[in-house]
């Protein structure tokens, strides 16, 4: 049944970071807000829950919070305490685990070298294949580390992850991954790296806990939109769906998550995530106890299998898809009654902190600031 909305209420579609942060900001400014989500839970893709064995897991894959934005970190700190956590990843090549992103130790272990920082820099310089105009992900990697490291760590991982060759993917995809000359083996180098002490879902409960906010779960906007006349709508779902796919579907890469519990195994792997670029149909395995610091006699892991169809997770970054998104984006300008924000509405790979930033900005605009 469609929720009854009084005409002074703002409807928010989606209880992920985008929707929940806008909801909180509007509520604190005195607006009445009604949040709906088609899933049976809040927190969007950041949702975490205790599995059947008592271990806190992330249903939609590992979410590690990191940001350079002090303002964003302080904002979320109103709703959670934090557990300091620096994520580390290893990449398996020919059965051996190497630090990833590639750093000086990766080179030394892989090639039996003893390079210092200057030596590592000289090594990259020697093996890189200069590309005059860097356009694709293949160009980015060849240009910085050359063919052997490209083939060992990037080529097959990218093929699995995207179902496309790195030569078909825009440069921005690979440019996200650094290459280091020092021994820093942290996956991220942001100033703030931490996990919500009681988990993401608990943080979202606090975000949404305000007398001006009501939340209704298991409601699909498209089944109720005809019957509601909110003061304003904040839409955080897929933009193509909002406009009835009139220009066609925006392509997404999906994932299947295979969760597994290993009783009586204290630790399954030495780092939070291990990448398998060249073996198996999955890309990586994450062990949640590293992320959460939970103490338990057993352990829970997740394997990620990239898929073409399924829930929309990663916008596929190509010039063609961006042009299609622009056509939808142009339609949003005619809809002053709706604010579009978040990774699905903006068809952009956003980290959580970026979504919080975008949501705070959207709320300011709605409030006329
Ligand atoms: P979402 O979290 O997707 O929320 C949108 C909500 O809208 C969903 O709950 C959906 O059910 C709801 N919705 C959609 N359509 C409708 C409808 N018709 N009716 C009602 N409700 C609807 N970021 C990081 O910073 N660090 C990480 O380590 C990290 N890891 C990630 C790992 C994976 C596997 C993935 C896929 C993403 C990861 N991210 C990470 C990105 C992070 O998930 C996003 O930045 C964040 O979830 C985006 O929030 P959002 O509110 O825009 O979207």
């Amino acid at each position: 049944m469609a929720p009854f909305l009084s005409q002074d209420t703002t409807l928010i579609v989606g209880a992920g970071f985008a929707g929940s942060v806008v909801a909180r900001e509007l509520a604190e400014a005195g607006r009445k807000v009604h949040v709906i989500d088609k899933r049976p839970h809040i927190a969007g893709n950041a949702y975490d829950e205790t599995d059947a064995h008592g271990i806190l897991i992330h249903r939609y894959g590992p979410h590690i919070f990191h940001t350079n934005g002090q303002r964003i970190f302080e904002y979320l700190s109103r709703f959670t305490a934090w557990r300091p956590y620096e994520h580390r990843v290893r990449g398996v090549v020919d059965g051996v685990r190497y630090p990833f992103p590639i750093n000086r130790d990766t080179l030394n272990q892989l090639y039996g070298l003893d390079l210092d920082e200057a030596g590592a820099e000289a090594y990259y310089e020697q093996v890189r294949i200069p590309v005059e105009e860097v356009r694709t992900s293949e160009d980015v990697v060849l240009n910085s580390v050359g063919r052997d490291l490209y083939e060992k760590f990037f080529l097959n991982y990218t093929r699995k992850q995207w179902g496309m060759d790195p030569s078909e993917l825009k440069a921005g995809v690979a440019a996200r991954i650094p290459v280091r000359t020092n021994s820093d083996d942290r996956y991220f180098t942001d100033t703030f790296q931490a996990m919500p002490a009681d988990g993401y879902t608990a943080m979202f409960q606090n975000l949404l806990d305000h007398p001006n906010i009501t939340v209704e779960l298991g409601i699909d906007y498209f089944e109720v939109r005809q019957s509601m006349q909110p003061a304003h709508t904040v839409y955080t779902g897929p933009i193509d769906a909002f406009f009835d796919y009139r220009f066609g579907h925006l392509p997404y890469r999906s994932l299947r998550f295979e969760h597994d519990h290993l009783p009586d195994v204290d630790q399954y792997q030495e780092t939070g995530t291990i990448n398998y670029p060249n073996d198996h149909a999955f890309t990586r395995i994450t062990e949640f106890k590293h992320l959460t610091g939970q103490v338990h006699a057993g352990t829970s892991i997740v394997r990620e299998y990239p898929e073409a169809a399924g829930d929309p997770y990663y916008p596929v970054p190509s010039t063609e898809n961006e042009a299609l998104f622009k056509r939808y984006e142009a339609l949003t300008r005619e809809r002053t009654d709706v604010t579009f924000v978040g990774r699905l509405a903006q068809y952009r790979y956003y980290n959580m902190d970026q979504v919080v930033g975008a949501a705070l900005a959207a709320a300011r605009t709605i409030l006329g600031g």
Side-chain angles (χ1 to χ4, degrees):
M1 208 179 75
F4 172 77
L5 283 193
S6 61
Q7 285 195 349
D8 62 347
T9 300
T10 300
L11 174 69
I12 301 208
V13 181
F17 270 102
S20 301
V21 168
V22 176
R24 182 76 194 197
E25 289 300 282
L26 299 190
E28 287 186 0
R31 304 270 178 103
K32 284 198 188 115
V33 181
H34 188 70
V35 182
I36 61 169
D37 202 299
K38 65 179 181 184
R39 286 169 168 167
H41 60 73
I42 57 170
N45 279 350
Y47 177 67
D48 54 16
E49 60 186 333
T50 304
D51 70 8
H53 313 278
I55 294 186
L56 186 65
I57 62 157
H58 299 178
R59 188 186 287 185
Y60 305 101
H63 278 68
I64 293 117
F65 188 81
H66 57 100
T67 188
N68 285 318
Q70 182 166 350
R71 192 177 59 94
I72 307 278
F73 189 69
E74 283 171 359
Y75 180 78
L76 291 177
S77 303
R78 291 175 51 204
F79 310 104
T80 186
W82 299 95
R83 166 185 187 263
Y85 173 70
E86 291 180 327
H87 195 52
R88 286 183 166 75
V89 175
R90 298 281 180 265
V92 178
V93 174
D94 297 328
V96 181
R97 296 171 176 192
Y98 298 97
F100 190 83
I102 296 170
N103 67 15
R104 177 161 68 98
D105 294 333
T106 315
L107 299 180
N108 286 339
Q109 288 170 30
L110 189 60
Y111 299 118
L113 300 169
D114 187 22
L115 303 171
D116 58 11
E117 281 209 50
E121 202 168 327
Y123 184 88
Y124 292 133
E125 196 50 47
Q126 182 198 321
V127 295
R128 68 185 280 262
I129 301 171
V131 179
E132 217 154 88
E133 201 188 333
V134 175
R135 262 183 278 173
T136 68
S137 282
E138 181 182 69
D139 295 342
V140 171
V141 183
L142 289 180
N143 192 50
S144 62
V145 299
R147 186 160 301 279
D148 195 53
L149 289 166
Y150 167 69
E151 288 181 353
K152 284 187 161 71
F153 288 94
F154 292 93
L155 175 62
N156 295 324
Y157 192 94
T158 309
R159 282 182 177 154
K160 259 197 280 188
Q161 175 75 8
W162 294 98
M164 283 160 81
D165 200 84
S167 60
E168 298 169 276
L169 274 173
K170 291 195 79 162
V173 179
R176 291 169 61 89
I177 302 160
V179 172
R180 301 191 181 127
T181 52
N182 59 19
S183 288
D184 188 348
D185 69 340
R186 296 171 304 159
Y187 198 70
F188 306 110
T189 51
D190 301 49
T191 315
F192 303 96
Q193 303 189 42
M195 300 291 287
D198 298 320
Y200 288 98
T201 306
M203 180 177 79
F204 274 82
Q205 274 158 358
N206 293 335
L207 252 173
L208 293 166
D209 181 15
H210 190 283
N212 286 342
I213 302 178
T214 50
V215 179
E216 214 167 350
L217 300 171
I219 303 253
D220 187 334
Y221 173 62
F222 299 112
E223 285 169 16
V224 298
R225 78 163 147 183
Q226 301 302 345
S227 54
M228 291 190 297
Q229 278 148 358
H232 189 77
T233 298
V234 176
Y235 179 78
T236 76
I239 189 168
D240 51 357
F242 186 90
F243 293 108
D244 304 314
Y245 305 101
R246 78 174 69 162
F247 305 130
H249 285 253
L250 279 165
Y252 277 95
R253 193 72 175 153
S254 192
L255 288 171
R256 179 169 63 82
F257 300 104
E258 186 182 83
H259 286 274
D260 206 356
H261 178 74
L262 307 157
D264 304 323
V265 175
D266 178 35
Q267 192 182 90
Y268 176 74
Q269 57 191 30
E270 73 268 30
T271 53
T273 296
I274 307 257
N275 285 356
Y276 292 87
N278 307 311
D279 321 295
H280 310 292
F282 53 83
T283 48
R284 56 182 186 171
I285 298 181
T286 296
E287 182 176 17
F288 291 106
K289 278 165 63 179
H290 285 282
L291 279 57
T292 59
Q294 188 175 355
V295 177
H296 193 289
T299 196
S300 293
I301 59 173
V302 65
R303 298 181 186 85
E304 293 172 54
Y305 293 84
E307 297 200 327
D311 278 353
Y313 288 120
Y314 300 109
V316 182
S318 72
T319 310
E320 198 185 339
N321 298 343
E322 270 163 34
L324 181 55
F325 167 68
K326 290 276 172 222
R327 295 181 71 193
Y328 281 114
E329 195 185 30
L331 298 177
T332 67
R333 284 183 215 114
E334 295 156 18
R335 296 299 302 263
T336 50
D337 56 327
V338 182
T339 298
F340 297 85
V341 62
R343 63 178 192 103
L344 297 164
Q346 297 180 269
Y347 194 63
R348 194 174 300 173
Y349 184 86
Y350 262 147
N351 281 322
M352 294 180 279
D353 62 322
Q354 295 171 304
V355 177
V356 173
L360 289 171
R364 268 197 307 277
T365 305
I366 295 167
L367 293 167

